[in-house]
Amino acid sequence: MLRKLPSSTRPYLLSQSLNRPTPIARNRLIPSARHVHVRAISFSSIPRAMARAFRIPAYGAAIGAGGLGYANYKLEGVRNATSEILSNVSDKFSSAYNSAADGLNSAADIGSSLASQLQGRISDTGQGVQDTAEAFRNGTKEWWEAFTSQFAKSEAQQESGSSSSSSGSGKGREKWYNPGEGPGQPQNNGGGGEEALLGLVGAAAAASNVEEKRTDPFSSGGGDEHQLLQLTRKLIEIRSVLLSVDQSEALKLPSIVVIGSQSSGKSSVLEAIVGHEFLPKGDNMVTRRPIELTLINTPSNAASSSSTPAEYGVFPDMPGMGKITSFSTIQKTLTDLNLSVPPELAVSDDPIHLQIHSPHVPDLTLIDLPGYIQISSMDQPEELKDKISGLCDKYIREPNIILAVCAADVDLANSPALRASRRVDPLGTRTIGVVTKMDLVKPEHGATIVRGERYPLHLGYVGVVCKAPPTSGVFRSIRGDKETPNVTGAVLRREEEFFGGENSKYFGRDQKVMVGTDTLRRRLMDVLETSMSSSLHGITNAVQLELEEASYQFKVQYNDRRITSESYMAETIDALKARFKEYTAQFTKPAVRSKLKEMLDDKVMNILEKLYWDDPRTLELSKLAEDRKLTTEELDTYWKYKLETASSLLTKSGVGRDSTGLVAEGLRQLIDSIATGEPFTFHPSVSERITEFSHAILRERMGLTADQVENCIKPYKYEVEVDEREWNVGRDRAEDKFVQEIKRCDDKLKEIQGRLGGSRKLNGLIRHVGELERWEEERRKRRFSAGNSGEGEDVVEEGAPVLDAYKYSPAQIIDGRHALLLSNRLSLLKLRQQALKSRRCKLGPDQSAFCPEAFLAVVADKLAYTSTMFINIELLEQFFYQFPREIDSRILYDLNRDEIARFARENPKIKQHLDLQERKDKLESVMRSLQSLVNLQKDAKGPSSAGSSRTGLFTKFF
């Protein structure tokens, strides 16, 4: 209807529309024109009556026209679908022609599916055309009846208008005319032509949007629904944050818990709400873990204006999967996660979190639980029934809302879902009954069940069919295995067919029953929002108490000092570098040279023992050194050759490899001590990474360094030049080594002496062992001579020492042999020590053949000095430069934010600090959100302005 315009502007606008001038002043009746006016009204009654007749019946014509347009739309859809099917069938038959018998079978299947699909499409189109024709016929009938009644009414109004005009003029009352009224102008009550045109346009628009509304009745909501969505979404976001803060009952907002037996149709109800098949399917029990499903309504225009897909799912606990747009992938993932529960456990209380973003879903939080069973199968544990019951009882506690799913073909008295809800909710104040499979019972019986007169619930029952169209087999193969479309529209059409038509007398609005998936969705939204808003003040107080406690603990324990995972990582890396720089002082040139000298001195002592100390002629060398007249040139070549052999054994023993390996091993031990110390005891993965790349650096440098050292000491393998100063230093160093060796021998003898009980017993044992060794040596000689002469081995052994079993045990005999060796070694060391101190060794490097100990000490010192210089350049300097940079590149910059967060939380102290800090921040955020909602609630409940009704998000609850 067009709104009435002010009287001062209506004549002007009408004159502009008719293109003729009309006076702005209001027309008044004058006595002389009274009869003329009455006659003008009588002449204009026919057009005015026809306009009135066409005004209301035009809606019928508009509906009929819209119906014809809709039928044409459906026929066009059938033609397009038929052409697409024929094209696909042509492709199928061409591929089948190239195959053998399997191709013929598939062609037969495709033909049957084509026939069934074409028959269904044509029957649907025929039914639509029939309905449209019926609507057009009814509209035409209503138009004719209205036209005839309106024409008769026009004549009656003409007569009454004449009488009222004459009576009114007699009283001298003034009359104001509407636009188009007045003498000689026809009346236009409300603009019938314009209203008919608007009705026709509206009917056409409504017919074009029928399919969209059926497919997604939720996406086109009014302002109240939009506000409802915003409120529920905020409360759901607050609920998610609270669940991440604490799992206590005091900080929980309600969710909708779906319970029911395995064959009750829980999955169909949830998939009808979401619009896609995504829940696990299987013959056996597939749902073994709770599925916490969060539906988030995303505006379709926002999704289309960005790269974000319109519909997608997210597993928050598996961020690596990202946004999943394929609901079959979601179904497979849920199946795998459920089947990961061991068969011996059957069910687990570890929930699976899933978020679905779509413009076709409401903002809801649903929890799907394993279905109740009556008896366990052979491959299931006997206590499975009790486990499922206990798991469901855990979730249906307050404040959660219970969605008890029952099948219509099963008596409600046998419904395990209703029995479980009665235990925790006796009054049914937070239980919604969902009666599925309504098409399997008689309509009158189904209406009786939905009314809930026998088992009443405060929130009532909702009857649904929820049977989605087939999405597998031939239909999917013809479509080319494309993703299944939104099934909500198909479910709603099926429910509309069942609950409408002849069954509307049982399920109509006047019957006061709730039926349909769309009704269920809106009912769930209303109940969830009502429950959340009713617990708003309680949760606000609980959050306030938790926030005060967290703020107090944060102040007391950490003095309000805030940290981040990144700051802890940076501090740890800086501490690692500082400790490494501090420990590098152990690898200065003097320190490395000292280590290499110790290693080479041990080599020298081994060479001396092998070539000199075990040689019986060594005593002869000492006597020759005492002869002052004997020169080096006159010395036997035997001792000169022995000196060259000793020098070659030292210089050609792989000094480069051994010295480099010694320094590299020291670096490894340094890095291992740093990587396994505080705070890396809490970070085994990072410690392992540090050790790994540090060893990799050493392996890369060791080969090159060893080659460089070998090349640098190569001259010493052929000739060693020694000056006077080096000789004196080497002789002094050899004397020191002999002192240390003599001390070690003495200590070992004293240890054996302590075990035997004194020096007297030790000397007696040494004499006894000496006799045994001499007798054994003689026996070996006799056997050798007897073997050469051909006599047998049975030679009478005479003169064998008598063994006293009570005097010396076998262990003491072993100690005696060691003591004999040490005493002989000690005597020889003291003899060679005297030789080093003799005048012959003090003469200089020319006497090296008489003093091999001093010469080898000089060679070892030269080798250590040269090796240290090149090891410092090729190995140490490169490692000290590269290691800190590898720390930055492989740890500090290589870890992403999630890995850095995990690294920080590996330290218990830091984890406690971060948890308390994060808890405090989340509680503050939740408190701000809750406070804004409380303030909004107060505004909605407060006194409204004069004459205005209450509006706002909380109007329907207060």
Side-chain angles (χ1 to χ4, degrees):
M1 299 294 293
L2 297 177
R3 184 172 59 86
K4 287 188 177 182
L5 298 174
S7 58
S8 59
T9 59
R10 280 179 291 189
Y12 176 74
L13 294 177
L14 187 61
S15 65
Q16 292 296 323
S17 63
L18 298 177
N19 294 325
R20 62 172 180 265
T22 302
I24 299 301
R26 287 172 289 196
N27 299 320
R28 298 191 180 186
L29 290 175
I30 50 179
S32 59
R34 185 177 304 159
H35 299 286
V36 178
H37 175 69
V38 171
R39 185 176 299 274
I41 291 176
S42 64
F43 280 115
S44 62
S45 60
I46 294 176
R48 186 166 61 251
M50 292 184 66
R52 290 174 179 172
F54 274 98
R55 182 179 59 188
I56 296 176
Y59 293 114
I63 293 174
L68 288 176
Y70 178 69
N72 187 23
Y73 165 75
K74 296 296 288 185
L75 288 173
E76 184 67 23
V78 170
R79 285 195 296 271
N80 295 334
T82 304
S83 61
E84 180 181 0
I85 291 171
L86 291 176
S87 176
N88 290 331
V89 170
S90 176
D91 297 338
K92 294 292 182 177
F93 273 110
S94 62
S95 61
Y97 177 77
N98 297 325
S99 61
D102 294 338
L104 296 176
N105 295 331
S106 63
D109 295 338
I110 293 170
S112 60
S113 64
L114 171 63
S116 59
Q117 188 170 359
L118 285 175
Q119 182 179 1
R121 288 295 183 90
I122 293 172
S123 61
D124 292 342
T125 306
Q127 185 66 29
V129 173
Q130 182 178 359
D131 295 341
T132 305
E134 184 68 23
F136 182 76
R137 184 171 62 253
N138 295 334
T140 305
K141 181 179 179 180
E142 292 176 0
W143 172 80
W144 178 254
E145 293 176 354
F147 175 77
T148 55
S149 61
Q150 188 74 0
F151 189 82
K153 183 178 179 182
S154 175
E155 293 180 351
Q157 287 181 355
Q158 175 184 352
E159 297 176 357
S160 61
S162 302
S163 59
S164 62
S165 175
S166 59
S167 61
S169 61
K171 295 180 182 180
R173 289 161 44 183
E174 296 182 354
K175 181 175 181 180
W176 304 96
Y177 289 91
N178 293 328
E181 295 182 352
Q185 294 195 10
Q187 294 183 357
N188 186 10
N189 296 333
E194 289 84 351
E195 292 176 355
L197 181 60
L198 291 176
L200 180 60
V201 174
S208 64
N209 293 331
V210 166
E211 190 68 20
E212 181 181 359
K213 290 182 179 180
R214 286 183 176 179
T215 303
D216 184 17
F218 183 76
S219 61
S220 58
D224 295 337
E225 290 181 354
H226 180 69
Q227 292 178 347
L228 179 63
L229 282 175
Q230 296 300 323
L231 174 61
T232 309
R233 176 176 299 180
K234 290 180 180 179
L235 291 174
I236 289 176
E237 293 174 357
I238 291 173
R239 172 188 175 275
S240 301
V241 176
L242 289 177
L243 287 178
S244 64
V245 170
D246 198 349
Q247 296 292 333
S248 62
E249 297 294 334
L251 296 181
K252 280 189 177 180
L253 281 169
S255 300
I256 300 174
V257 181
V258 185
I259 60 174
S261 61
Q262 287 189 1
S263 59
S264 59
K266 295 190 296 80
S267 300
S268 299
V269 172
L270 290 176
E271 289 175 347
I273 294 175
V274 174
H276 291 274
E277 294 185 9
F278 69 99
L279 292 175
K281 300 289 193 307
D283 298 334
N284 203 350
M285 190 183 72
V286 181
T287 304
R288 303 181 181 180
R289 297 171 57 184
I291 302 176
E292 296 191 2
L293 179 63
T294 303
L295 305 182
I296 302 174
N297 181 269
T298 55
S300 56
N301 54 357
S304 61
S305 61
S306 63
S307 60
T308 304
E311 292 182 293
Y312 61 91
V314 176
F315 289 93
D317 298 335
M318 296 183 290
M321 299 189 67
K323 298 178 179 179
I324 307 174
T325 57
S326 174
F327 282 86
S328 60
T329 304
I330 296 176
Q331 186 179 37
K332 184 178 183 302
T333 304
L334 289 175
T335 304
D336 295 339
L337 292 175
N338 279 280
L339 295 180
S340 64
V341 179
E344 59 272 11
L345 295 179
V347 293
S348 172
D349 59 352
D350 184 19
I352 302 173
H353 299 277
L354 172 62
Q355 297 178 355
I356 293 182
H357 301 252
S358 173
H360 312 299
V361 298
D363 286 309
L364 291 175
T365 55
L366 302 167
I367 302 176
D368 184 26
L369 297 176
Y372 291 100
I373 61 174
Q374 300 299 327
I375 186 172
S376 303
S377 61
M378 296 296 294
D379 57 345
Q380 294 174 345
E382 296 180 359
E383 64 274 10
L384 178 59
K385 180 179 179 181
D386 298 333
K387 281 187 175 182
I388 294 176
S389 179
L391 179 62
C392 293
D393 291 344
K394 175 183 175 182
Y395 276 91
I396 61 179
R397 299 171 185 170
E398 289 185 331
N400 287 340
I401 302 163
I402 305 172
L403 192 66
V405 180
C406 318
D409 57 346
V410 179
D411 190 3
L412 295 185
N414 299 325
S415 173
L418 288 179
R419 288 201 301 268
S421 64
R422 285 289 179 89
R423 289 198 304 267
V424 296
D425 184 27
L427 300 179
T429 56
R430 53 186 184 88
T431 303
I432 302 176
V434 178
V435 183
T436 60
K437 306 178 183 179
M438 291 286 292
D439 54 341
L440 300 182
V441 297
K442 295 181 179 180
E444 56 270 19
H445 180 58
T448 304
I449 297 175
V450 174
R451 289 192 189 96
E453 296 174 353
R454 187 175 179 184
Y455 302 100
L457 293 176
H458 182 72
L459 298 178
Y461 291 84
V462 181
V464 295
V465 176
C466 291
K467 184 177 292 184
T471 57
S472 61
V474 180
F475 290 95
R476 176 170 289 184
S477 64
I478 291 177
R479 288 195 303 267
D481 290 334
K482 296 180 180 179
E483 185 67 25
T484 56
N486 193 298
V487 300
T488 305
V491 171
L492 294 181
R493 284 193 297 271
R494 183 178 181 84
E495 290 180 337
E496 183 180 352
E497 293 175 359
F498 179 75
F499 295 121
E502 296 181 357
N503 296 336
S504 60
K505 59 184 178 181
Y506 303 106
F507 305 107
R509 293 184 179 180
D510 54 343
Q511 301 298 327
K512 297 181 180 179
V513 294
M514 294 184 293
V515 292
T517 302
D518 187 35
T519 303
L520 176 62
R521 297 169 76 179
R522 299 180 186 277
R523 184 64 172 167
L524 293 178
M525 291 172 53
D526 294 341
V527 173
L528 181 61
E529 193 232 0
T530 304
S531 180
M532 284 186 170
S533 60
S534 63
S535 59
L536 187 60
H537 286 283
I539 199 68
T540 302
N541 296 333
V543 170
Q544 181 65 35
L545 293 176
E546 293 290 337
L547 177 59
E548 292 175 357
E549 178 65 20
S551 301
Y552 174 75
Q553 293 294 336
F554 193 68
K555 177 67 176 178
V556 171
Q557 297 182 22
Y558 307 107
N559 196 22
D560 289 337
R561 183 176 65 88
R562 301 183 63 84
I563 63 170
T564 60
S565 301
E566 290 78 7
S567 65
Y568 171 73
M569 169 66 81
E571 292 176 1
T572 304
I573 297 301
D574 291 343
L576 173 63
K577 292 179 180 178
R579 191 177 304 173
F580 174 75
K581 186 176 182 180
E582 179 184 354
Y583 286 176
T584 53
Q586 302 176 8
F587 292 87
T588 58
K589 285 184 179 180
V592 174
R593 189 181 301 117
S594 176
K595 291 292 182 181
L596 293 182
K597 282 183 178 181
E598 290 180 1
M599 180 194 72
L600 293 174
D601 286 343
D602 292 338
K603 284 181 174 290
V604 169
M605 299 302 287
N606 293 333
I607 292 172
L608 289 174
E609 180 181 6
K610 183 177 181 180
L611 295 180
Y612 288 92
W613 299 344
D614 293 342
D615 191 351
R617 296 184 61 182
T618 303
L619 298 176
E620 179 185 348
L621 180 63
S622 299
K623 293 179 180 180
L624 292 175
E626 294 177 356
D627 188 2
R628 298 180 179 179
K629 295 181 181 180
L630 184 65
T631 61
T632 305
E633 290 79 8
E634 298 174 351
L635 186 65
D636 191 359
T637 56
Y638 175 80
W639 300 109
K640 294 179 181 179
Y641 175 76
K642 194 171 275 276
L643 181 63
E644 292 177 359
T645 303
S647 177
S648 298
L649 287 177
L650 181 60
T651 56
K652 298 179 182 180
S653 62
V655 175
R657 181 186 65 255
D658 294 340
S659 59
T660 304
L662 178 65
V663 177
E665 185 62 26
L667 289 174
R668 288 194 189 97
Q669 295 178 0
L670 169 65
I671 299 302
D672 292 344
S673 64
I674 295 176
T676 56
E678 289 280 351
F680 291 100
T681 53
F682 307 111
H683 312 296
S685 59
V686 175
S687 176
E688 182 179 355
R689 184 178 295 191
I690 293 173
T691 304
E692 181 181 352
F693 72 71
S694 63
H695 291 181
I697 297 174
L698 291 176
R699 285 194 299 269
E700 181 183 356
R701 302 299 307 175
M702 277 183 60
L704 179 62
T705 305
D707 293 341
Q708 289 290 339
V709 173
E710 287 291 340
N711 291 332
C712 293
I713 66 173
K714 191 174 183 179
Y716 300 122
K717 298 178 181 180
Y718 300 96
E719 183 180 2
V720 180
E721 296 181 356
V722 183
D723 57 16
E724 190 71 24
R725 183 189 63 80
E726 294 174 345
W727 177 263
N728 293 330
V729 172
R731 187 175 60 83
D732 294 340
R733 185 171 182 82
E735 290 182 6
D736 295 338
K737 294 298 294 182
F738 270 85
V739 171
Q740 295 175 6
E741 190 70 19
I742 291 172
K743 185 178 182 302
R744 283 197 292 267
C745 290
D746 284 336
D747 294 340
K748 192 65 176 177
L749 280 174
K750 289 180 181 179
E751 181 182 347
I752 297 174
Q753 179 181 342
R755 287 200 300 267
L756 293 175
S759 60
R760 184 168 169 270
K761 291 184 177 181
L762 177 61
N763 294 332
L765 179 61
I766 291 175
R767 285 194 300 270
H768 180 73
V769 171
E771 292 177 0
L772 285 176
E773 288 189 351
R774 285 192 298 270
W775 175 79
E776 289 176 356
E777 182 66 24
E778 292 175 358
R779 188 180 63 173
R780 284 194 297 270
K781 289 180 180 180
R782 287 195 301 268
R783 286 184 176 181
F784 181 74
S785 60
N788 291 334
S789 61
E791 298 179 359
E793 295 183 358
D794 296 333
V795 179
V796 178
E797 296 182 359
E798 298 179 355
V802 179
L803 295 177
D804 190 351
Y806 294 97
K807 188 175 183 179
Y808 300 111
S809 64
Q812 290 177 340
I813 295 297
I814 295 174
D815 286 340
R817 294 181 184 277
H818 291 166
L820 181 61
L821 291 175
L822 288 172
S823 61
N824 294 335
R825 173 68 60 85
L826 189 60
S827 300
L828 185 60
L829 289 174
K830 289 180 179 180
L831 181 64
R832 295 307 304 165
Q833 185 182 25
Q834 292 298 326
L836 285 172
K837 294 180 180 180
S838 65
R839 183 174 177 273
R840 169 79 69 176
C841 288
K842 293 181 179 179
L843 292 178
D846 295 337
Q847 309 299 323
S848 57
F850 295 98
C851 303
E853 296 87 357
F855 178 76
L856 292 177
V858 173
V859 176
D861 188 69
K862 286 180 174 290
L863 293 176
Y865 184 85
T866 306
S867 301
T868 301
M869 181 172 56
F870 283 92
I871 286 174
N872 184 72
I873 295 174
E874 297 294 339
L875 180 63
L876 294 177
E877 292 295 336
Q878 292 294 328
F879 184 80
F880 295 159
Y881 174 81
Q882 193 171 356
F883 181 73
R885 288 159 179 79
E886 290 294 325
I887 292 175
D888 292 338
S889 63
R890 300 198 183 191
I891 298 180
L892 190 60
Y893 303 140
D894 191 47
L895 300 179
N896 54 34
R897 298 183 66 89
D898 295 335
E899 293 174 337
I900 291 176
R902 287 195 298 269
F903 172 83
R905 292 183 180 278
E906 289 175 351
N907 191 334
K909 296 181 179 179
I910 302 300
K911 180 180 183 299
Q912 184 179 2
H913 192 166
L914 289 174
D915 288 345
L916 184 58
Q917 176 179 303
E918 184 179 358
R919 177 184 177 86
K920 177 176 174 291
D921 294 342
K922 287 183 177 180
L923 288 174
E924 288 177 350
S925 175
V926 169
M927 194 62 201
R928 287 193 295 268
S929 300
L930 289 174
Q931 194 61 45
S932 63
L933 293 179
V934 170
N935 294 336
L936 185 60
Q937 179 180 354
K938 291 180 180 179
D939 295 341
K941 293 177 63 176
S944 57
S945 58
S948 62
S949 61
R950 293 181 178 179
T951 59
L953 298 179
F954 294 91
T955 304
K956 64 181 293 183
F957 305 108
F958 306 104

